Amino acid sequence: MCGIIGYVGPQQAVNVIVEGLRRLEYRGYDSAGVAVGADGRIEWRKKAGKIANLDAELAARPLPASTIGIGHTRWATHGGPTDANAHPHLSADGRVALVHNGIIENFALLRAELTAEGVAFSSETDTEVAAALLGRALARTGDLAGAMRRVCSRLEGAFTLVAIDAQDPTRVVAARRNSPLVVGVGDGENFLASDVAAFIEHTREAIELGQDQVVVITADSVEVTDFAGRPVGTKPYHIDWDTTAAEKAGYDWFMRKEIFEQPRAVADTLLGRYSGSGELALDEIRIGPDELRRVDKIIIIGCGTAYYAGMVAKYAIEHWTRIGCEVELASEFRYRDPIVDANTLCVAISQSGETADTLQAIRHARDQGSRIVAICNTNGSTIPRESDAVLYTHAGPEIGVASTKGFLTQLIACYLLGLFLAQVRGVKFGDEIGAVMDELAAMPPKIQRVLDGADDVYGLAHQLIDQGDYVFLGRHVGYPAAMEGALKLKEIAYLHAEGFAAGELKHGPIAIIDPGMPVFVIVPPAGRDQLHDKVVSNIQEVRARGARTIVLAEEGDTGVDAYAEKVIRLPRVSTLLQPVLAVVPLQLFACELATALGNDVDQPRNLAKSVTVE
Ligand code: F6R
């Protein structure tokens, strides 16, 4: 959601900024803009729509040469996606330009106060209110950092603010509360951005910022203070993603590329965490064994795809550890007065590490005394920083808005965590852990085999393109996998799709089955799983009502053939691990169907990659 970049250094700011905005496109946006400081003035361009519109505007009306500037991709909250509402916004006197991510909750009050003082606004945004306040404070103090601190003390809600002062072409000033911001430290140049993708082609050195901090960058310095102006220590880190990881490498979509990267992403997430001796080594879980042994409840929290990963994790963690495990949508969690205490382990799953609902949920759990383990893909992001321990997934940057490799690696991390807890608590022995680890180690080539069958799935997508509704069924861990398959189709194909627990079918959902409706069914492994035959019965039930049945079943399971219009074969795995394979054809199906429909697969309408507001 909203991408921000600030730059100061020897390069032409507009080029660095627009290129950075392009790399932030994946976060989701509906307008874009840039401002530079030149000759004591602020000059800016901003346009509704994609960055191509901003490019055209810049070509028609180029900005003056400048080595300092800020840029923004906006995902509309206050006010529609228009040119006027696009960022940057200027203070009433035109001296300050400001970009903002987040929501200022008391903006109506502040706007009324400023309007009463005679300030006129040209947009409907909360940001313009902050810009007006900043301009007013700067006129009084003459110091942008001091003015920023003063303004922050008046704002409620979540915000990252980045500003420049027309009269000071040497520094960019930013502040953050509950919204992402990182510093990129270059050689004679510095950057501020919502995430490292914006500046990774210029530098791999970064600094994490904490809550309620103000940062001032010049070309060769970075100064961080709290909102009271006291200097605070910083935490530099090296970004180990390489720039090519964020390129499409010949694929039409980042999403398709990321689906095909899954064998590597899964292998990387397993790397170095198991020695083969029967002992899992998760050094990252810096919570002592005694404390882990006292855990009597696990609550897994996430949103969207991360929530579905949590649903799968519940089956595995309960089965392996015998600790009761709940899964909760982060957006619901803290508003229902959950029962959480010092013996509760809270597991927060988040690819971006910036999802506002998940962040607020872990803060709530922490306030009740719970310990927090984050499962996250983004180094330096807020959720891991506010957790007691973090298990990083090593998926590499996920650019496509619809999560794919993020999901598979979250599953792997959840399995690792479940086995680790079982090991610490002594309820699983080395040979049992070793058997699951061997199976996990064998997953990358199995995922590759599913990917090798992509053409077959693509053919299916073209056959089923003109259907209105799609149903996905599964039991046990196949149920969240079915939900994830349906979510992918909703997100990028904009089609109505529902995932159901197959056992629930007769309790209602079967009524919607129309002749010709595509129904995807995930079948548990044959022979070794008691639910297999029940799911086969469910296939027969929908088939009897005219559904077109697409059955995902393991290799050699011929028991499903008679009831399937199409069988997609999955390599053999144990039930708990099956979602790692079963979701892959569903990702491919959604990606191909959305492509055939002419949709923007990487940046689907209305969606943002990183949902940084509640
Ligand atoms: C689905 C998707 C979203 C995210 C959700 C949580 O494809 O991308 O549902 O999974 O917004 O995001 P993170 O994992 O970044 O917290």
Side-chain angles (χ1 to χ4, degrees):
M1 232 167 218
C2 294
I4 283 185
I5 177 163
Y7 173 75
V8 55
Q11 304 188 56
Q12 279 308 317
V14 64
N15 300 340
V16 175
I17 287 166
V18 174
E19 210 32 61
L21 292 180
R22 247 186 268 289
R23 287 184 180 275
L24 294 175
E25 273 192 297
Y26 76 96
R27 296 172 66 89
Y29 72 107
D30 35 41
S31 61
V34 54
V36 297
D39 302 328
R41 291 192 327 276
I42 300 282
E43 293 269 351
W44 77 100
R45 305 286 180 265
K46 52 187 194 175
K47 284 308 258 183
K50 294 291 179 191
I51 290 177
N53 297 359
L54 179 64
D55 285 337
E57 175 75 359
L58 286 166
R61 297 195 310 126
L63 283 173
S66 170
T67 55
I68 186 165
I70 55 178
H72 191 263
T73 47
R74 172 174 187 255
W75 192 85
T77 52
H78 287 100
T82 60
D83 289 357
N85 287 335
H87 300 205
H89 288 281
L90 267 60
S91 56
D93 59 5
R95 179 171 166 186
V96 169
L98 178 74
V99 292
H100 161 224
N101 175 15
I103 294 180
I104 297 167
E105 285 168 1
N106 58 336
F107 104 103
L109 214 68
L110 296 169
R111 186 175 169 122
E113 174 187 313
L114 289 161
T115 307
E117 286 177 18
V119 177
F121 292 98
S122 54
S123 79
E124 303 152 90
T125 63
D126 48 353
T127 309
E128 198 182 4
V129 172
L133 287 174
L134 195 58
R136 194 173 67 175
L138 180 62
R140 287 178 191 153
T141 62
D143 161 36
L144 188 58
M148 183 67 92
R149 282 190 281 271
R150 190 178 282 209
V151 169
C152 288
S153 69
R154 296 216 55 202
L155 304 182
E156 289 167 17
F159 49 84
T160 298
L161 301 168
V162 182
I164 51 173
D165 171 5
Q167 293 177 19
D168 182 355
T170 64
R171 63 196 75 218
V172 185
V173 175
R176 85 169 279 243
R177 166 177 288 168
N178 292 338
S179 195
L181 183 67
V182 283
V183 183
V185 183
D187 187 8
E189 58 183 354
N190 284 314
F191 305 80
L192 291 163
S194 311
D195 70 59
V196 300
F199 55 69
I200 196 170
E201 64 178 317
H202 302 285
T203 179
R204 305 255 211 98
E205 304 311 317
I207 294 177
E208 286 181 18
L209 291 175
Q211 282 307 332
D212 290 3
Q213 292 185 349
V214 169
V215 54
V216 180
I217 60 165
T218 66
D220 41 35
S221 69
V222 177
E223 276 172 26
V224 186
T225 61
D226 62 16
F227 281 180
R230 290 179 293 250
V232 292
T234 57
K235 198 168 155 209
Y237 65 101
H238 180 75
I239 305 155
D240 52 14
W241 293 351
D242 65 18
T243 35
T244 52
E247 304 292 349
K248 280 193 210 156
Y251 287 91
D252 52 350
W253 302 113
F254 279 111
M255 180 183 176
R256 204 186 302 270
K257 172 180 166 246
E258 288 159 7
I259 293 171
F260 279 87
E261 282 172 350
Q262 292 180 119
R264 186 208 44 78
V266 164
D268 286 355
T269 301
L270 288 167
L271 203 68
R273 285 172 163 158
Y274 180 64
S275 61
S277 64
E279 181 92 1
L280 255 178
L282 296 189
D283 303 337
E284 309 99 306
I285 307 295
R286 283 187 241 100
I287 302 176
D290 288 344
E291 213 173 333
L292 289 177
R293 280 191 278 270
R294 278 200 301 274
V295 168
D296 60 11
K297 179 162 85 170
I298 296 173
I299 299 190
I300 305 177
I301 297 168
C303 300
T305 287
Y307 171 72
Y308 296 142
M311 283 176 73
V312 174
K314 172 187 163 72
Y315 289 91
I317 292 177
E318 276 190 347
H319 181 72
W320 289 330
T321 65
R322 307 311 298 155
I323 309 172
C325 183
E326 295 171 12
V327 193
E328 181 100 22
L329 287 169
S331 53
E332 292 293 322
F333 176 72
R334 80 187 167 119
Y335 297 105
R336 70 165 175 87
D337 194 15
I339 300 167
V340 180
D341 61 27
N343 292 335
T344 309
L345 183 69
C346 175
V347 179
I349 307 178
S350 175
Q351 188 285 128
S352 63
E354 297 293 353
T355 299
D357 287 310
T358 311
L359 179 61
Q360 296 302 345
I362 64 166
R363 286 180 180 166
H364 184 78
R366 199 183 49 205
D367 289 347
Q368 317 297 308
S370 164
R371 299 288 249 157
I372 318 287
V373 174
I375 290 178
C376 184
N377 193 43
T378 312
N379 206 314
S381 56
T382 310
I383 289 171
R385 219 180 28 245
E386 297 203 10
S387 300
D388 296 295
V390 52
L391 201 52
Y392 279 109
T393 53
H394 296 300
E398 191 177 65
I399 307 289
V401 163
S403 186
T404 53
K405 61 179 181 173
F407 178 70
L408 254 59
T409 54
Q410 284 163 355
L411 293 180
I412 300 297
C414 288
Y415 295 137
L416 291 173
L417 181 63
L419 289 173
F420 181 72
L421 290 174
Q423 173 179 289
V424 171
R425 296 167 70 91
V427 290
K428 280 252 170 270
F429 297 103
D431 55 338
E432 296 168 293
I433 289 172
V436 184
M437 288 308 299
D438 288 348
E439 232 198 318
L440 285 173
M443 288 309 246
K446 290 184 179 176
I447 300 167
Q448 188 56 52
R449 265 166 49 209
V450 179
L451 292 170
D452 292 343
D455 284 344
D456 214 23
V457 179
Y458 294 160
L460 188 68
H462 290 277
Q463 278 168 35
L464 297 180
I465 198 165
D466 54 355
Q467 311 297 313
D469 304 283
Y470 300 75
V471 167
F472 294 76
L473 299 176
R475 279 183 188 246
H476 194 265
V477 290
Y479 167 41
M483 307 269 276
E484 173 62 6
L487 180 64
K488 292 290 91 97
L489 209 53
K490 288 180 213 180
E491 286 183 293
I492 58 171
Y494 318 145
L495 289 166
H496 178 228
E498 295 290 346
F500 297 112
E504 273 293 292
L505 204 56
K506 291 192 280 295
H507 301 287
I510 200 164
I512 69 167
I513 304 295
D514 274 330
M517 184 184 285
V519 178
F520 289 75
V521 189
I522 299 168
V523 182
R528 313 182 306 284
D529 194 293
Q530 51 176 342
L531 288 173
H532 174 271
D533 296 353
K534 293 193 192 303
V535 174
V536 173
S537 301
N538 296 137
I539 305 172
Q540 293 176 55
E541 287 156 12
V542 292
R543 176 90 164 176
R545 284 152 184 90
R548 300 177 72 172
T549 47
I550 300 97
V551 175
L552 286 80
E554 77 173 8
E555 288 160 354
D557 180 2
T558 49
V560 300
D561 294 2
Y563 318 110
E565 175 171 324
K566 166 88 187 159
V567 182
I568 296 172
R569 293 292 172 194
L570 303 174
R572 279 171 72 96
V573 277
S574 56
T575 305
L576 284 170
L577 308 192
Q578 198 197 35
V580 177
L581 301 177
V583 158
V584 176
L586 306 182
Q587 298 168 337
L588 290 166
F589 179 80
C591 183
E592 185 64 12
L593 193 65
T595 306
L597 289 170
N599 295 352
D600 185 338
V601 168
D602 285 336
Q603 292 165 41
R605 68 183 186 196
N606 305 338
L607 293 180
K609 180 70 183 161
S610 181
V611 183
T612 51
V613 292
E614 281 189 75

